[in-house]
Every structure is written in C-alpha cells, then in structure tokens.
Amino acid sequence: MDTRDDCNLYALLARGFPRDRGACALDAGDGLLYSWDDIEHASAALANLFARLGLPRGARIAVQVEKSPEALLLYLATLRAGHVHLPLNTAYQPAEIDYFLGDAEPSVLVCSPANLGRLEPLARRHRVAHVFTLGADRRGTLLEAAAGEATRFETVRCAAGDLACIVYTSGTTGRSKGAMLSHANIGSNALTLHHYWRWRSGDVLLHMLPIYHVHGLFVAVHGALLSGSRMIWRARFDAKEAIALLPQATVFMGVPTMYVRLLDEPGFDAAVCRDMRLFVSGSAPLLPETFRQFEARTGRRILERYGMSETVMLTSNPYDGNRVAGTVGLPLPGVQVRVVDDAGRPCAVGGTGAIEVRGPNVFSGYWRMPQQTREAFTADGFFRTGDLGCRDANGYLSIVGRSKDLIITGGLNVYPKEIESLLDEMDGVAESAVIGLPHRDLGEAVTAVVVREPGAVLDEAALIAALRERIAAFKVPRRIHVVDELPRNTMGKVQKNVLRAQYQES
Ligand code: MCA
Ligand code: AMP
C-alpha cells in the first residue's frame, strides 16, 4: 500500500466538483461544453497515456501550446499521474525553449503542431523521450495517442512536498530559474483563496488569461474547480468579447492592462457587470486612477492582490472590508509578510523596506540552483521577494518599488539583463541599458538605450528584428535609442533613473 499522504492537488480540486457531474464545467465558446465528467474522464485518459509511457515518477512534462480546454486537461492529467507540469509561454522562441529543455530535462514535450519542426530537433538534442503535439483545434498526436486509453484513473497519492509544477521566472542575472512548487504549496493557497474570495457554487468565471502563468492557471482555474463553478473559457483577452460575456459571469480576473482596455470601451458600464460579484487584478500595479474610473463606471471596486510565481498569492484586499486603491491589501490567512530595513529590522508604519514572506504557499527553492535558493531565503526561512513595500497603520501593504531590476509589461515580466546581454553581443553595440517607461496600455513599455561603438552605424529596426528572432516578442524593446554614452554615477553605475526621466518625455 502507498503510505504517502493524499496531498495530490487534483484530488483536492476534485473534492470541489459538484454532485451533478453532467453539469457544464467549461464552455469553450465554439459550441463545445465540457461537463465535470468530461474533465474527470479526459484527464484520466491522458494520465493513463503517461502511465503507459512508463515515465518515472516526478517526470517533467514541458508544455508550450495555445490555450485550449485540452491544454487544461493535460495539466490536470500531469497532476493526477504524479508528474511535474512545466508550462511555457507561447511567445517563447526556440532559443528560449532550448534553455528550458536543457535545464529541466523533461521526459515529455508537448508543443503546438506549427512549432514541431522547430522544436523537435531541440528535444532530440536534449534527449526528451517523447514529443507530442496539441493544437488549439484539438488536433495533434497527444490526443491521438490518448484516444484508446481508459477513462478511469486512480489519482496517484502524493506527499505534501511532492513537486507539482516548475514555473520558470526570469532571473536578475539573465538566466531563468525554475520555481519548484509542491502540491501543498499550490493546494494550500487554492483553499485560502477559495475562502477569502468567497467562491461559491453557481459562480461563473470568465477566463481570458493565459494558462502558462500562475495568475491564469492557479489563481483563476483552481478557484473555479474548487468551488465546482463553470468557466467561460476563451483563448485570449479581447475587451469587446469580454463585454459581451460579462453579463453571464460572476467573477473575472485580469492584469491591469485588461481593465484599462475595458474602460476604453464606451459599451462597458454597470449593466454589463450586473451579476458580477468579483473583479480581481494582479501581476502588475493597478493605477489608483484605473481603480477609481472603474468604480465610477461600474459601481464595482476591483480587488487588487499581490503574488509571485515562487509564492502563489501573498496579500489581498479584503472581500467585504475596504479595498484601498494603490495597495495590495493584507496578508492572506496563514501567510506571514514583513517589511524590513537593510539590517533586517521591521520597518515602522509608513517606512519603506524589503518585502519578505513565509508560509505554506512559499516554494521550496529553484530547480537545481542551490546557491540561488540559499540567497533567496533569510536565516529564519523568509523568502526575499525583491519587491519594496510599506504598510499603513491598518496593515495594508503598498508595493512602492523593486530591488530587482524588472520590467512588467502587460502583466509579463522582462528582466533587462537578458535583453542587455543580447544587445551587447550585437555588432556595433558597445553597451546597452534596458528600461521600462510608463505606458498607458501596458503599464510599462520595454525601451533600450544602446551605445554605438566608435564609427559604427546602428539601425533601430535592424536591432529590433534581430532580437525578435531570439526572444519572445513581448520582451523586445518597442524603441531602441542609439547614443554615444550612458549616464553613470560616481561609482560608474549606469543611472537608469536618469534614462527613464530623459526618454519618458521623448
Ligand atoms: C502581447 N504583446 C505584448 C504583450 N502581450 N507586448 C508587451 N507586453 C505584453 N504583455 C505584443 C505581441 O507580441 C504583439 O506584438 C502585440 O502585442 C499584439 O499581440 P496580442 O497577442 O494580440 O496581444 P494581446 O492579446 O493584446 O495581449 C495583451 C495582454 C496579454 C492581454 C495584456 O499580454 C496578456 O494576457 N497578459 C497577461 C499575462 C499574465 O497572465 N500575467 C500573469 C503572470 P507584435 O504584433 O509586434 O508581435 S503571473 C504573475 O505575474 C504573478 C504570479 C501574479 O501576481 O499574477
Ligand atoms: P512573477 O515573477 O511573474 O511571478 O511576478 C511576480 C512579481 O509581479 C512580483 O514580485 C511583483 O513585483 C509583481 N506583482 C504581482 N502582483 C502585483 C501587484 N498587484 N502590484 C504590483 N506588482 C505586482
């Protein structure tokens, strides 16, 4: 008999499925409705496929596919089979995928049919044992291979610390780090949010986020599954479509860019939101101005929360109490959050310091990076978030900056170091600095300033085109300014604040 505790995340989620398994769990928008039975059976068939492949326990299953109901089923199957889900942004280019395959050593890669030609050679080089395809239109070898599998599967028992997912986050050094999240890390957070945000049966989630990140995959999906709520599932966010669908929904989760785009639509008003009980924002700062405009237009106060890939959700504005614009609210139950000065002493109310966190939701470390893992935690086990914050007299946390050099564009993270390293290798470039400039739609826009080598002629369009071949489009600077030198302080450090001030106005 297996002596492990039953901490499998799928088992936890399935406890929330409604008694009526024939009811609609997911509306895919193309006329196809998935019942709770469909979720259970199709994920079982995929889990049986993994069992037939004889994958070792804890095998990594890397996934870079367009969002679809089947992509969600693949994630659930991975959990059920006791393997490790490794989601990859669909915008990543082969050079980026190459790194993840080398680092994570997955046993399986699932990619979209259109990318097979480019990714299969990489998979072969990294000795990935199995490569499948999965298209948004349900075509591909993955579903073909699972077609004959039994639709019953006994979900594998897991210990609390067993790995469920590796979520890659870019690093300040330019190398991505795989945050190792266990079944209990994710499950404890799902339960906390279930209670804190008052998920109830009968909720309907309008799901328009990507599912290669914590926000769309864990925070949104788990809330719906755990409460047996239906999801209206769309491949991507579109403001007009959201407005058409919101009258059927009760819950929506988005990044600030989505709220800005909704407000740009004249048709977005209180009537559209009549049955909505919860709008959640996160992944990037929500401007107080957006919060206020949203309330004026709809009568609803967006609930802003704060989290990270390494920790899932950390703080949230209250469900019933006051939601304060410009703050990310209070620590979630069970999560310890502290703001400390350079010496590690707690800051006084209103004082700015480093945000550190501890709790059952906090990851165990970075995949195969013991040194970075050690550096990420304090001696007493708090994780250093790299965010700077301050708390008000009521305990509400505001994020006021970052000690890590990070740009968040449309809810996606870009580490300047990664882009600078690529620019610096290019012919004619002596050095570069990548900064984020305020952008009405994206929050921040990636911008580069490059120094030309003496006598070199640099063409902005050519530099951008060269970058687009190497990295995901969202990381590519929207503008590249060519200069003769960068501003530096007396220590010789590039003054990015000076560059931000200078180019903000250009
Ligand atoms: C797309 N583009 C972008 C971005 N998205 N450029 C900069 N930043 C972006 N975020 C570019 C594309 O490359 C393309 O450029 C052009 O914009 C249009 O692409 P399209 O796919 O049509 O864009 P879109 O549909 O308008 O997407 C914008 C979006 C999307 C809806 C804001 O980026 C999105 O869904 N963001 C959410 C990301 C997310 O889930 N973050 C959570 C991370 P071109 O045409 O030139 O190629 S989890 C997290 O942060 C923590 C844990 C947390 O707290 O949640
Ligand atoms: P990721 O590495 O993709 O998990 O992104 C996590 C980072 O997103 C955090 O460290 C914060 O810097 C940022 N973030 C998440 N939620 C918020 C928020 N509500 N306000 C400001 N920044 C946020």
Side-chain angles (χ1 to χ4, degrees), residues 7 13 39 56 110 116 137 217 250 290 304 307 323 326 415 418 504:
C7 287
L13 298 171
I39 302 243
V110 185
L116 182 65
D137 56 2
L217 186 61
T250 64
T290 309
E304 184 172 6
R323 299 179 192 168
Y415 275 86
E418 182 185 359
Q504 193 169 318

Side-chain angles (χ1 to χ4, degrees), residues 58 97 106 114 128 155 174 222 236 299-300 311 330 366 386 388-389 398 466 475:
I97 301 292
V128 178
T155 297
H222 293 168
R236 53 186 292 277
R300 312 295 156 121
T311 63
L330 304 158
Y366 295 110
L388 301 175
S398 294
K475 296 182 190 172

Side-chain angles (χ1 to χ4, degrees), residues 16 56 68 99 123 131 173 186 193 214 227 246 269 299 324 333 335 340 342 364 375 388 391 393 405 416:
S68 69
Y99 170 78
V131 178
T173 57
I186 307 169
L193 295 178
V214 163
S227 58
L246 278 171
D269 57 21
V324 182
V335 181
V340 297
D342 288 345
S364 57
E375 286 165 9
L388 301 175
R391 282 168 109 161
D405 191 10

Side-chain angles (χ1 to χ4, degrees), residues 308 310-311 355-357 362-363 366 376-377 381-385:
M308 291 186 73
E310 288 92 333
T311 63
I355 303 175
E356 297 180 346
V357 298
V362 176
F363 78 139
Y366 295 110
F377 287 91
F382 276 75
F383 171 62
R384 306 178 208 269
T385 63

Side-chain angles (χ1 to χ4, degrees), residues 303-387:
L303 183 154
E304 184 172 6
R305 58 49 173 190
Y306 159 56
M308 291 186 73
S309 300
E310 288 92 333
T311 63
V312 205
M313 295 300 105
L314 294 167
T315 72
S316 169
N317 270 277
Y319 186 78
D320 286 324
N322 196 16
R323 299 179 192 168
V324 182
T327 82
V328 292
L330 304 158
L332 285 165
V335 181
Q336 290 167 270
V337 177
R338 68 186 185 192
V339 178
V340 297
D341 65 17
D342 288 345
R345 288 178 303 238
C347 291
V349 168
T352 295
I355 303 175
E356 297 180 346
V357 298
R358 190 166 69 176
N361 51 311
V362 176
F363 78 139
S364 57
Y366 295 110
W367 172 257
R368 292 181 182 166
M369 288 189 175
Q371 170 80 11
Q372 280 88 339
T373 300
R374 267 192 302 278
E375 286 165 9
F377 287 91
T378 63
D380 57 351
F382 276 75
F383 171 62
R384 306 178 208 269
T385 63
D387 292 311

Side-chain angles (χ1 to χ4, degrees), residues 19-86:
R19 214 165 279 157
D20 178 6
R21 297 297 173 101
C24 178
L26 187 151
D27 167 355
D30 53 3
L32 270 191
L33 303 178
Y34 293 68
S35 69
W36 296 93
D37 267 343
D38 292 335
I39 302 243
E40 176 88 13
H41 296 160
S43 61
L46 286 163
N48 278 316
L49 168 65
F50 294 145
R52 178 160 60 81
L53 296 178
L55 304 181
R57 197 180 166 107
R60 274 78 60 205
I61 299 186
V63 178
Q64 191 198 30
V65 297
E66 296 302 326
K67 181 179 172 186
S68 69
E70 286 68 27
L72 175 61
L73 294 168
L74 170 59
Y75 161 63
L76 296 177
T78 303
L79 296 177
R80 295 188 74 173
H83 299 311
V84 179
H85 183 62
L86 199 169

